[in-house]
Amino acid sequence: MDANKKLVANEAVKEIKDGMTVGLGSGSTVKFMLEALGERVKEGLEIVGVPTSHQTAKLAKELGIPLADFSNVDGIDIAIDGADEVDPHLNLLKGGGGYLVREKIVDILAKRLIIIVDETKIVDYLGTYSLPIEVVPFGWETTRSRIAEFGCAPQLRQKDGEVFISDNGNYLLDCDFKIIHDPAKLHDDLKALVGVVETGLFINMADVVMIGHAGMVDVLTK
Ligand code: DER
């Protein structure tokens, strides 16, 4: 599986050109992308990265990739990110790593969003992977009840035996919808609930999905 993730990560890095501001996603596939990007920076590529998590920022710094934040960039030319599921309309289910809010803020701003996955992420319908929803900690139990009315059993995410706290100081509820027939409507309905910060449904955002499988890269475009 890593070979396919590495293959697609290396392919995506070829899309990054001198002078670009690059949204740096999060996750294990993006880790391979950062390593390849770090090599190109060492060879003289001049870019600046906007990281979507503390984890990505730490690795990018270690690899010598120059970083910026929204106080000193005008926009994002290209963002490269992973996903947990991709449906036939290129809608995404993301947030397995817990970084969905900052990923969505960066990804939605990008002029071009490239998603890098291996073939295990390709699905007919989103929802087999539990949908992460970031919620405000205050009153999260009441928010959980409202979310559950949409047909799932939200689980408060734990990490190392503790409640997981996102980079934004919020909680994550993982929701087992099993199959999501209308992800755009579900996202809108969930976002309307008080206490919900963001959902892991990235609707109509991906411009390109690169899929690594069997030593090849398939490219899907919107
Ligand atoms: O949290 C996310 O959406 C990340 O992009 C991540 O879940 C992607 O999965 P990967 O670690 O298999 O690349």
Side-chain angles (χ1 to χ4, degrees):
M1 224 56 79
D2 274 1
N4 289 327
K5 289 188 172 186
K6 199 174 281 187
L7 182 71
V8 72
N10 291 338
E11 194 61 27
V13 167
K14 294 175 185 172
E15 299 297 313
I16 300 173
K17 311 296 181 202
D18 258 336
M20 280 189 169
T21 299
V22 184
L24 306 176
S26 297
S28 62
T29 312
V30 162
K31 178 175 177 295
F32 291 124
M33 186 280 290
L34 293 173
E35 289 166 354
L37 181 55
E39 287 307 308
R40 289 200 52 202
V41 167
K42 281 198 189 94
E43 291 160 7
L45 180 72
E46 294 194 5
I47 57 105
V48 64
V50 179
T52 57
S53 63
H54 294 326
Q55 178 192 72
T56 288
K58 179 172 178 293
L59 179 55
K61 279 189 195 119
E62 289 166 1
L63 294 166
I65 298 170
L67 297 180
D69 61 30
F70 290 111
S71 63
N72 48 19
V73 297
D74 292 332
I76 292 180
D77 297 298
I78 191 170
I80 300 178
D81 203 348
D84 298 302
E85 292 182 331
V86 181
D87 80 3
H89 306 286
L90 306 195
N91 291 319
L92 314 174
L93 188 148
K94 283 178 55 60
Y99 310 112
L100 65 99
V101 170
R102 297 192 183 194
E103 287 174 325
K104 195 175 275 191
I105 289 169
V106 169
D107 291 353
I108 208 160
L109 187 66
K111 296 188 186 83
R112 191 162 172 248
L113 172 58
I114 297 178
I115 296 297
I116 51 176
V117 294
D118 67 20
E119 80 284 5
T120 65
K121 308 298 187 74
I122 305 305
V123 297
D124 290 332
Y125 290 97
L126 303 179
T128 304
Y129 193 98
S130 286
L131 173 63
I133 301 173
E134 185 152 332
V135 300
V136 174
F138 179 80
W140 72 272
E141 300 91 341
T142 65
T143 309
R144 176 180 56 184
S145 304
R146 278 191 288 279
I147 292 171
E149 287 171 22
F150 285 88
C152 67
Q155 299 298 311
L156 181 63
R157 187 176 298 189
Q158 308 274 334
K159 184 171 182 179
D160 305 329
E162 305 278 324
V163 173
F164 175 84
I165 306 290
S166 75
D167 286 351
N168 315 301
N170 296 316
Y171 290 170
L172 279 182
L173 296 177
D174 291 306
C175 305
D176 59 341
F177 285 102
K178 305 281 191 289
I179 186 165
I180 301 172
H181 287 287
D182 187 343
K185 182 177 185 318
L186 180 61
H187 168 76
D188 292 344
D189 290 347
L190 292 170
K191 274 286 280 197
L193 300 176
V194 66
V196 169
V197 175
E198 193 48 79
T199 82
L201 294 171
F202 286 47
I203 305 301
N204 195 29
M205 287 177 56
D207 295 294
V208 178
V209 175
M210 294 186 172
I211 307 163
H213 74 104
M216 295 179 296
V217 175
D218 286 339
V219 180
L220 304 179
T221 54
K222 197 155 49 177

